[in-house]
Amino acid sequence: MIEKGPIVEEFGEEDCEELENLYRTVWPTAAEYPEHWRQNRMLRSDQVREEMRKGIRFFGIRDQGKIVGVYKARITEDECFGEHQSILASHRGTGIASRMYDQFKKLAKDNGCRINSVNVLMGQEPTLRLVEKHGFHKVGEPFEQSPGMLVQRFERNVD
């Protein structure tokens, strides 16, 4: 379990190639998602760079200098929306996801947002437990975010 040491940091354009490698490692094995969705999640470095230039922020954790987990955040006046959390299989169960959620909540507060929000794939029990642990609650009914992929929206009020 990663307790002390690595912190959640914001990644920049200099990290795009490494982020591409992380996505191309994590998403092919995410069999709970439809194939078309997994393909779309394997962003190329130029796509990451383009999203960064459009204001989407990438945060994550390094272990021994290597990026081992990442998520994306879109911030508007009222909302901080997190998505695309990707963690190397070798680092799952170490507390990285929870650490990123702690930072995600702080990010919303620091940016004056009213709510944090995420969409969670139906049936993905570890993530469902994680969002509930971090004070998120269901909003509305599950919906099809992409053909064949039901997700549930979760929100939490920013402290």
Side-chain angles (χ1 to χ4, degrees):
M1 185 128 177
I2 294 179
E3 291 296 331
K4 295 193 183 213
I7 59 167
V8 178
E9 64 180 275
E10 184 165 8
F11 299 127
E13 290 189 32
E14 67 278 5
D15 299 304
C16 291
E17 286 75 21
E18 191 173 353
L19 289 169
E20 175 181 343
N21 291 335
L22 178 85
Y23 291 136
R24 295 203 175 279
T25 301
V26 170
W27 285 94
T29 62
E32 64 273 24
Y33 291 89
E35 176 67 25
H36 71 276
W37 186 260
R38 288 186 280 153
Q39 290 296 320
N40 288 337
R41 300 284 90 182
M42 291 188 280
L43 298 179
R44 298 183 318 271
S45 61
D46 62 308
Q47 292 172 304
V48 174
R49 189 172 290 104
E50 182 179 331
E51 287 193 0
M52 286 178 174
R53 290 176 178 172
K54 289 181 178 177
I56 295 173
R57 298 172 68 185
F58 289 71
F59 296 91
I61 291 181
R62 294 180 200 268
D63 185 20
Q64 298 179 353
K66 181 180 177 183
I67 298 173
V68 296
V70 64
Y71 82 92
K72 298 182 338 186
R74 284 186 286 143
I75 300 169
T76 63
E77 187 175 314
D78 288 336
E79 179 180 19
C80 182
F81 178 75
E83 65 176 339
H84 207 163
Q85 190 174 64
S86 306
I87 299 171
L88 291 176
S90 61
H91 285 72
R92 292 185 190 139
T94 64
I96 286 176
S98 193
R99 184 164 290 169
M100 286 194 282
Y101 268 89
D102 286 338
Q103 185 271 342
F104 174 55
K105 294 185 305 187
K106 183 179 182 317
L107 180 67
K109 185 174 186 170
D110 290 350
N111 281 277
C113 297
R114 187 178 52 80
I115 61 168
N116 279 111
S117 63
V118 294
N119 293 332
V120 177
L121 183 69
M122 296 299 297
Q124 195 166 62
E125 295 304 320
T127 306
L128 293 169
R129 285 191 302 273
L130 185 64
V131 295
E132 289 173 1
K133 170 187 165 188
H134 282 273
F136 288 77
H137 60 276
K138 290 180 183 181
V139 175
E141 295 298 319
F143 64 96
E144 197 171 46
Q145 185 172 10
S146 187
M149 194 176 96
L150 278 180
V151 299
Q152 174 67 56
R153 181 176 170 90
F154 285 83
E155 292 181 356
R156 68 175 286 283
N157 292 327
V158 175
D159 305 327

